[in-house]
Each structure stands twice: as structure tokens, then as C-alpha cells.
Amino acid sequence: MLIKYYPFILLFNPCVSGGVDLFCVKNGFKYLNDEINLEPHLEEFITQTKWLKQKLDHFNTTDQRDWKMKYFKRLSYWRLNGPIYLFLGGESPVSPRWAETGIMYELAKETNGALYVAEHRYYGESRPLNGTDAEALKYLSARQALADNAYLLKYLKRFSIYKNSKVVVVGGSYSGNLAAWMKLLYPDLIDAAIASSGPVLAKMDFYEYLEKVSDNYEQYGTKKCLGKIEKIFKRYDKLMQSAKGIQLLKEEENICEKCNLSALENQQIFFGVKVGEFMSISQYGTAEQIKDHCKILLNGSIYQHNESGIPPEESTRNNCTCYDFDETIKGYYSKENDWIISWLYQTCTEFGYFQTTSSDEHPFTNNMPLNFYIRMCHKLFGPDFDEERVNRGVAAVNDLYGALSPNVTNVVFSNGDLDPWSTLSILKDLSNNAPAIVIPGSSHCRDLLSNRDNDIVELKEARKAIKNLVKKWIGAEC
């Protein structure tokens, strides 16, 4: 059995689970949905699945094509004049569990609100057009998605029961951007917004991501941890320079013999996978987990640093598997995971977010350069998707939404200070009515979940502060 890796280290990182032929994606919104789905079911499942006809292109009056958008509805706690809460879907299929647990659910329960969860166009079952090429995806953009959500809210507001209802939008990761941008573009429709871990600054060469990962391991890891990481990656780099070194690396890492590690792109994919382990722990973990990871690194051999701490031959060969880093981007995809391509399209046309190694302020060597990602755009979507086109898209997004200075009020921007994505987010108050909450020791979007017993005090206090702000802005203070 071969385990294929693909170079998609954007808002997600590749991983392997249990030696099974599995492409495990940990992007921001997919991870969030997985987390919310793990929350215990405390009540009977009573969320309804609904569909709404949407325009294919909201900005072309001559194009009358339409499609159906999936959303979820729950009115268990709603009372007349209560607010509408809308959770904005992001870059993966959306879960109805956002109407059953988490900070939005708690707000609705405390303020007699109606709960809605919307799926983003081109993700999950909400697909305006079939296909994963550039022509099929041309109507995929944040602006079109924002218009979809605006139309959903206007549709709801047509019902007399919602005539006096305030509207609160909630989102995390990319959908955290959408929450803030909804308030920007539709200020008369939106009364308040929670923008959790939203990287509102589009950036092509996102070298700051790995700088933050490095900072986390320096600050929270053991004393010699950063030096050990540097030795590991420099050794990888050196081994890649010779046939003998490549063969040794294949044996140590259980890489398939047929895999051509002499090819530059395959080497870059290898480095992406190895760096992804540190990215994942930094983005989703805790300070304690970073320290534990460092202990494993320091106690192991120079090459032993998979997540379990088990040498590669023990963790994979017992399952008769080997790892293959040959780059075959399009061959992997099926209808079950075409949303991955949708997100890559958005990074290539709007956001960049390419987590490069172009900075010198990290220990991971420079083996994931910008052109690695540009080639990905080119191969997936055609020769027109070059660096210039990515740059144009990034500039247009920052110009439209205001980058780190959006002109918004009644929006709370929250970030965990461990989260590498926070380096593209708003970390200081824009105004009294657009505050920033930075949560010490917390990671990506953790504030959107409900309190857990092992949550740190700072995280619980942040959730309380966020809820109090929303209640104040919609006039629902106790």
C-alpha cells in the first residue's frame, strides 16, 4: 500500500493516520468542524436542513442561472424579537453542530435567538457548478459568498416574525474574515459580528507563519529544542544532495523505493510534510504540547520525529506501507474531496496565504519557496495562474476589504497568541466598538467552542468577554 502526499500546506497540512492510505486535511475550517462534531450531544438533534435558491453570479444582472445553497436552521430557543445568529461556512463542508454547541449556540440560548448555519458555495453539497477546473470555479470568491449570505438574511427578514430581530454573524479562520467583511459590506443588515482567528490581510508570501511556529517552539519548548529542529532539517537538506543520502533517507523514513526523491518538487513535498507536523502542533495545540513535542525530539534520534515518537520502521512497516512523495496533484481528487481544490482556487485567485520558508528566522531550511506554490496554481488551473495573477488577486482583496484596517464597528476580532495565522489578523483595537482580543496560550479558533474542563482560564474569560460584547451591541445585556 502506498501513502500519497500532495503539496497542500496552506490552511491545512497533510498527515497520515494509522498507516492507512489516507489524505488527512487539517485546514482551519475543516478542523473546526471536526472539533465541533466531537462535542457531546447534550440534547435531542433538532436542527433542520434547508435549501435556498441563489444566483450563480450576484453581480451580473443578465446572468439568470441559479443553484441551491444548503443551510441549517434551529429555533429551539427563539422568542419573538429575539436575534438571528448566522454561522458562516468556510473552506470545507459545514456542520449543523454549530447550532447545537459552541459560543454561538450559547448566545442564542441566553438571548432567545434563532440559529442558522450556512454552507459556503463550492464546498460540501453547495456546488453551483460541477467540475474543478478554472472555468467551473470562476464564480467562487469571498464576495460572491458574502452576497449569498446577505441574500439568505434578507430572505429570512421577509418573515414578519424576524422584522425586529437583530442579526449577528459568526465565523472562524477564513469564515472569520467573512464575518468581519459582512459587517463591512452590509452594515445595514448586520448588527454585530464575531471574527475568530481571521487572517484578514491577504498575503502571497506568508513567511511569517513559520516565523511564528519557530517563536512558539523557542518560547514554549525546551531549552535546546530549536537547535535540535535545525539539525534535523539541515540533515534532511544534506541527505537530499546525494544518491547515497537519498537512499539512507528512504530507509529511515520508509519512503517507497520507486519515489524519485532526486526531483526537486518531490523534495519540496517531503519538506512540506515534515514541517507540517510543527505547523499543526503550533496552530492547534497548547504550550504544553509544544514542550512535550520538544521532549520527544530531544530524546529521539536525529531523524525520529513523527508525532507518536515511534521510529518510522515501527510505526509504518508493521502495516506494510510506505510513503510516496511523487507529485500527482490532480490524480487524487474525487467528488468526496473536491472542496480541497476549491480552497486552493481561492488561495490562487484571492488570498495567497502561501506558507513559504523564504524567511531566515526559522529552523526549517528554505525548501518550500514561493515558486513551489505558484507551480501548484499553474498545474491545477492553467498557465494564466502565475505569480502576477496571484498578486493582483491579493491586492484586490486587500483594497476591497481594508486589510488590517477595515472600516467596521460592532465586530470583535479574537485570536489565540499561539496561532501562526494571528500574524495576518487584527491584534489591536480598531476602536472601542471594534476591539481585538488576544488570548494567551490559546490556538486557532478555540474561542468558538464551548468551555471544556481542561480549557485555560484565559480562554474561558475570552469567551465570556466576547459574549458580553455581542449582547451589548444587540441590546440584550442582562
Side-chain angles (χ1 to χ4, degrees):
M1 183 186 296
L2 304 184
I3 299 175
K4 278 283 187 181
Y5 284 102
Y6 300 85
F8 303 138
I9 309 101
L10 300 166
L11 274 180
F12 45 85
N13 307 299
C15 65
V16 173
S17 176
V20 179
D21 187 6
L22 175 68
F23 182 69
C24 176
V25 181
K26 285 188 176 180
N27 72 316
F29 197 74
K30 173 66 164 58
Y31 180 86
L32 272 180
N33 280 321
D34 291 344
E35 284 287 289
I36 203 75
N37 286 334
L38 291 174
E39 293 288 289
H41 286 261
L42 301 178
E43 301 171 331
E44 183 182 356
F45 187 85
I46 51 176
T47 302
Q48 297 175 287
T49 302
K50 310 289 283 186
W51 298 88
L52 181 66
K53 188 181 291 186
Q54 293 276 6
K55 289 191 65 175
L56 178 64
D57 187 349
H58 290 281
F59 308 103
N60 183 351
T61 56
T62 62
D63 190 339
Q64 297 302 310
R65 289 176 292 174
D66 56 42
W67 61 285
K68 288 186 177 180
M69 171 189 183
K70 184 179 182 180
Y71 69 98
F72 301 101
K73 169 185 176 182
R74 180 175 182 177
L75 301 182
S76 303
Y77 306 110
W78 186 79
R79 298 292 181 271
L80 189 63
N81 297 324
I84 297 171
Y85 292 95
L86 175 61
F87 192 93
L88 305 175
E91 66 281 14
S92 79
V94 76
S95 171
R97 293 283 283 141
W98 292 108
E100 298 159 4
T101 186
I103 195 170
M104 185 181 79
Y105 161 81
E106 292 174 2
L107 273 166
K109 193 173 182 179
E110 293 165 13
T111 61
N112 299 322
L115 286 155
Y116 288 88
V117 181
E119 189 166 72
H120 195 298
R121 60 167 56 201
Y122 285 94
Y123 296 99
E125 297 180 83
S126 300
R127 296 199 66 84
L129 296 174
N130 292 323
T132 56
D133 58 9
E135 184 62 25
L137 296 171
K138 66 188 294 185
Y139 301 101
L140 170 57
S141 69
R143 189 170 174 233
Q144 293 282 3
L146 292 168
D148 290 338
N149 286 302
Y151 181 75
L152 169 61
L153 288 168
K154 290 174 183 177
Y155 166 76
L156 296 176
K157 280 285 195 174
R158 293 174 188 171
F159 296 103
S160 59
I161 58 172
Y162 289 140
K163 181 180 178 181
N164 298 317
S165 293
K166 301 289 187 179
V167 175
V168 180
V169 291
V170 182
S173 197
Y174 159 57
S175 81
N177 293 1
L178 296 179
W181 296 342
M182 281 290 293
K183 191 68 174 73
L184 176 73
L185 296 189
Y186 302 96
D188 296 332
L189 184 61
I190 310 301
D191 295 286
I194 300 173
S196 173
S197 300
V200 293
L201 175 65
K203 196 171 193 292
M204 183 168 63
D205 187 354
F206 184 18
Y207 61 83
E208 294 91 344
Y209 188 102
L210 286 178
E211 288 186 341
K212 180 62 175 175
V213 172
S214 179
D215 289 345
N216 285 343
Y217 273 81
E218 183 174 28
Q219 183 175 353
Y220 300 107
T222 53
K223 186 176 181 180
K224 298 180 180 179
C225 186
L226 216 57
K228 181 63 178 283
I229 297 170
E230 186 174 16
K231 287 180 181 179
I232 289 170
F233 279 87
K234 282 187 174 180
R235 181 173 181 271
Y236 287 150
D237 193 56
K238 184 177 180 181
L239 290 176
M240 291 287 192
Q241 307 309 314
S242 68
K244 183 178 179 181
I246 287 173
Q247 187 57 42
L248 178 59
L249 192 61
K250 284 186 174 183
E251 293 173 4
E252 292 178 355
E253 297 289 336
N254 193 26
I255 298 169
C256 300
E257 189 59 37
K258 76 176 192 68
C259 178
N260 180 15
L261 270 187
S262 298
L264 178 61
E265 290 182 356
N266 291 340
Q267 292 181 2
Q268 291 170 337
I269 294 169
F270 171 86
F271 276 96
V273 170
K274 292 302 179 183
V275 175
E277 176 184 334
F278 297 86
M279 297 161 77
S280 181
I281 294 174
S282 199
Q283 182 167 324
Y284 300 119
T286 64
E288 191 63 31
Q289 287 173 317
I290 292 173
K291 181 176 288 186
D292 289 343
H293 190 210
C294 284
K295 291 177 182 177
I296 292 173
L297 295 176
L298 292 169
N299 290 334
S301 69
I302 192 71
Y303 62 85
Q304 176 194 323
H305 69 286
N306 53 51
E307 289 188 25
S308 64
I310 301 171
E313 63 272 13
E314 294 179 24
S315 63
T316 60
R317 287 180 183 163
N318 288 341
N319 292 303
C320 300
T321 61
C322 62
Y323 300 104
D324 187 4
F325 298 94
D326 282 317
E327 183 181 20
T328 54
I329 294 177
K330 278 196 171 179
Y332 177 80
Y333 293 98
S334 65
K335 289 182 180 179
E336 285 71 34
N337 54 20
D338 53 11
W339 58 269
I340 301 172
I341 292 283
S342 296
W343 176 243
L344 294 175
Y345 179 82
Q346 287 197 264
T347 64
C348 294
T349 56
E350 296 186 275
F351 307 123
Y353 292 155
F354 300 143
Q355 298 157 351
T356 72
T357 51
S358 60
S359 168
D360 294 327
E361 302 299 317
H362 63 77
F364 303 109
T365 69
N366 188 17
N367 281 286
M368 291 193 299
L370 179 61
N371 63 14
F372 169 65
Y373 296 93
I374 299 300
R375 283 200 311 273
M376 177 190 66
C377 295
H378 187 278
K379 288 187 176 184
L380 284 172
F381 306 116
D384 293 339
F385 288 78
D386 55 12
E387 185 173 339
E388 182 181 351
R389 176 159 183 173
V390 177
N391 250 330
R392 288 201 308 270
V394 166
V397 163
N398 287 332
D399 183 61
L400 177 61
Y401 302 115
L404 294 177
S405 302
N407 184 20
V408 293
T409 57
N410 293 6
V411 179
V412 53
F413 298 91
S414 58
N415 285 276
D417 76 344
L418 291 180
D419 184 12
W421 288 99
S422 67
T423 58
L424 297 185
S425 191
I426 293 170
L427 304 179
K428 295 183 179 180
D429 295 353
L430 298 178
S431 68
N432 290 336
N433 286 319
I437 295 178
V438 179
I439 311 167
S442 188
S443 55
H444 196 62
C445 298
R446 301 305 301 182
D447 53 306
L448 291 183
L449 305 177
S450 292
N451 286 339
R452 299 178 179 180
D453 292 339
N454 61 346
D455 283 343
I456 58 176
V457 173
E458 292 86 350
L459 180 55
K460 292 179 180 180
E461 288 298 315
R463 290 183 181 124
K464 182 178 178 181
I466 291 168
K467 290 199 293 184
N468 286 340
L469 283 167
V470 171
K471 290 175 183 178
K472 173 186 174 183
W473 291 332
I474 63 173
E477 292 177 286
C478 296

